[in-house]
Amino acid sequence: MGTPYVYGGTNLNKGVDCSGFVYSVYKNFGVNLNRSSAGMASNGVYVEKSNLQPGDLVLFDTTGVNDGKISHVGIYIGNGQYIHSTSGKEYCVTISELNNDYGLRTYVTARRVL
C-alpha cells in the first residue's frame, strides 16, 4: 500500500503502474502474466463479476468511453474491493471499491489466473 505510481514501473518498493503492480505481485508467487493490462485480459479464464474471488484480475476501460478496450487492471481482494496502482487522485497503490461510480462506469471483465 502506498507504493508510488510510476508509469512502466515494476518495482514494488520504488514504483509501479497498474499492470506492473499486478505483474510483479503474481511473479513473486511464481505466476507469469502478460505485462500489459490489455494483455492480461487473455490470461487465465473468464469469471463473472458476481463470482469474483480474491486474487482474480479485474479489468477496466478508463479511457472515458468504455468501449471494452482494457486500459487498467487490479486484483480483487474480496468484499467488493480491489487493490491497484492508480495514476488518479491517490497516485499510488491503493484499495478501491469495485461498485462505486467509477468502478461501475469503467469495469469490463475479470480473469481467474489461480
Side-chain angles (χ1 to χ4, degrees), residues 18 37-38 41 58-74 82 98 101-110:
C18 67
S37 56
V58 285
L59 300 124
F60 305 87
D61 179 349
T62 58
T63 61
V65 295
N66 199 351
D67 60 3
K69 293 181 182 171
I70 305 301
S71 56
H72 189 64
V73 63
Y82 65 102
L98 187 58
D101 180 58
Y102 183 79
L104 292 171
R105 215 174 50 248
T106 60
Y107 179 87
V108 175
T109 192

Side-chain angles (χ1 to χ4, degrees), residues 3-4 6-7 14 35 37 44 49 51 53-54 65-66 74 83-85 88 94-95 107:
T3 300
V6 173
Y7 181 78
K14 294 183 180 179
R35 173 58 184 88
S37 56
K49 189 176 184 183
N51 291 324
Q53 295 177 4
V65 295
N66 199 351
I83 188 167
H84 61 125
S85 181
T94 189
I95 293 173
Y107 179 87

Side-chain angles (χ1 to χ4, degrees), residues 2-13:
T3 300
Y5 177 89
V6 173
Y7 181 78
T10 58
N11 186 309
L12 292 170
N13 295 311

Side-chain angles (χ1 to χ4, degrees), residues 19-40:
S19 57
F21 170 70
V22 173
Y23 175 85
S24 296
V25 167
Y26 277 88
K27 186 175 182 180
N28 281 342
F29 291 98
V31 178
N32 291 313
L33 298 175
N34 293 329
R35 173 58 184 88
S36 71
S37 56
M40 288 178 188

